Every structure is written in C-alpha cells, then in structure tokens.
Amino acid sequence: MKPAQNRGLVRILIDSGVWLALCASSLLVAAARSMGVPAGWDLIAVTALGTMGVYGFDRWIVRRAGKPWWILAVVAAAGIGLTLPVAAIRILGGVCVLALVHHWLREVPWFKPVYISLAWLGVVVGLPWVIRGDGPIPGAALPIALAIVANALACDAVDREAEAAQIGPRRVWWIARVVAGLGVVAGWPHPAAAVPAAMLLAMVRWPVTRRRAEWVLDGALLVGGAGAIALGGVS
C-alpha cells in the first residue's frame, strides 16, 4: 500500500471514530479480563458504537457540517445498552449527559481531563465491574484513569486549549508525562499498568501535530490495552 493510501486509511479510521472505538474496546477487554469477567459481544458493541457516536456527535457539532451519521451509532448503542443491567444503564446515561455538555465545557481549564477520564472509566472499567456484581474497586481503575487524564492533557497541549491556553502547551505536556508516570507507578504490577506506560512512551516527542496526536496519543490507549490483555491475570 502506497504512503498516500496509508494516510487516507488513517484519516478514515480517525474521522469515522473507528480508531477511538478500537482504543476503548481494548481497554474494556483488558479491564474485564483483570476482573475475571467475560467481555461479551454486548459490552464490546455498546462500547465501540457508543464511542463512535459520542465522538461523531462532537465532531459534527464543532464543524456544523456533514451528515449526522453518528445518530445510527448512538441508536444501535442505546438498543444494546438497554439489555444490560440497570446499573450499567445508569453509567451509560451519565456518559451521554457528559457528551451533550462537552462542547460547552471543553475550554474550562483542568476540568476537561477530569470528566473525560470519568466518562471513559465509567465505560471501560465500570461496565464490567457492575456486570461482576460485587467486589472491591478494580485494580485496573487507577492506572487506566491516570492514562486517560494524561491523554486528555496531552491533547489539550496539542490543541492549545483549556489549561494549555492558560499556562502554555509545553508545561501541560510535561504534566501529562508526570501523570502517565504516576499511572505506571500506581498500577504496578497490575497488567493495566501497561496502559499509562504506553501513554508515557507516546509522549516522548514534542512538539506534536494534531494529526500525529490523533493517531499516536489515542493509539497508545489501544496498544496499552492490548499489552494489558497480553499480560493477563486476574486481580
């Protein structure tokens, strides 16, 4: 495949939301496996379709152009989500609320990484946790949460928005590195420590273009999730 074709495929994966859907699904499977919970087709489907729908909606409302294809993903995710336990439906409802207000909150310094990490954590860790039905807070929760916070901070640094507009993108980038490092320390030796570790490796280089951020920074979540799955184990 030629470089131009490769770039076109990358663009399709990113713009369609498939790339982020793969990232979220890998984290879900990793967290579920660490809890000894089967990651069934319903959990994977609602995670993947919901991610595509939420981020498709965000792109659509920012650009105010194009067909609202994200509605199909949202409807499909909702149909599958309604078959899950009530606690899972509540989590998905909370994520939907955050998705609706994200456009108006994205410029609030330091708040964006918090609510984005809560939304992702609720899905990729919260869903298998409520499916399990009991037990302590999963060991995967903290390292995955810190990896997502680091990702959100790094993306803000690239976009020069929110906290990056306040203190500068380079400082925020360094804070993101520290957060990812803390995720590795806090998660070790749990397999989920692979997620912040991959995130830390993705942030070695600065500056970073928006295109590279979408591919590499988000891809670090996919690679980290795959690493956690490979390491396996039940906490």
Side-chain angles (χ1 to χ4, degrees):
M1 188 177 290
K2 297 179 180 179
Q5 292 176 316
N6 284 331
R7 288 193 294 270
L9 177 60
V10 168
R11 199 70 255 163
I12 291 172
L13 288 173
I14 292 173
D15 289 345
S16 65
V18 170
W19 188 238
L20 274 174
L22 290 172
C23 298
S25 298
S26 74
L27 294 180
L28 172 85
V29 174
R33 181 169 180 173
S34 75
M35 287 180 261
V37 176
W41 72 268
D42 51 352
L43 288 183
I44 295 174
V46 76
T47 298
L49 290 168
T51 302
M52 292 175 65
V54 165
Y55 282 89
F57 167 72
D58 182 58
R59 288 179 183 274
W60 180 79
I61 200 170
V62 168
R63 297 174 181 177
R64 304 286 183 175
K67 296 180 180 180
W69 59 265
W70 52 268
I71 294 176
L72 298 177
V74 170
V75 170
I80 298 170
L82 289 174
T83 66
L84 299 176
V86 175
I89 294 174
R90 288 173 180 164
I91 290 174
L92 294 173
V95 172
C96 288
V97 171
L98 289 174
L100 289 172
V101 300
H102 169 66
H103 178 67
W104 294 275
L105 295 178
R106 64 189 306 155
E107 295 291 343
V108 180
W110 308 111
F111 183 52
K112 177 182 175 182
V114 174
Y115 73 77
I116 286 180
S117 65
L118 287 175
W120 273 70
L121 196 66
V123 174
V124 302
V125 176
L127 292 183
W129 188 26
V130 298
I131 294 297
R132 187 174 67 174
D134 57 7
I137 296 175
L142 184 56
I144 289 178
L146 290 174
I148 296 169
V149 169
N151 177 278
L153 287 168
C155 290
D156 281 347
V158 173
D159 292 336
R160 270 75 171 171
E161 66 179 20
E163 56 281 341
Q166 186 179 60
I167 66 171
R170 185 177 291 274
R171 288 181 179 177
V172 172
W173 188 264
W174 271 104
I175 292 172
R177 286 170 170 167
V178 171
V179 171
L182 289 174
V184 176
V185 174
W188 187 265
H190 194 283
V195 183
M199 196 69 236
L200 187 59
L201 289 174
M203 292 187 291
V204 168
R205 178 182 171 184
W206 174 265
V208 177
T209 63
R210 180 57 189 165
R211 177 173 293 183
R212 188 174 187 275
E214 290 176 323
W215 183 244
V216 177
L217 293 180
D218 292 338
L221 299 177
L222 173 59
V223 172
I229 294 169
L231 289 172
V234 177
S235 61

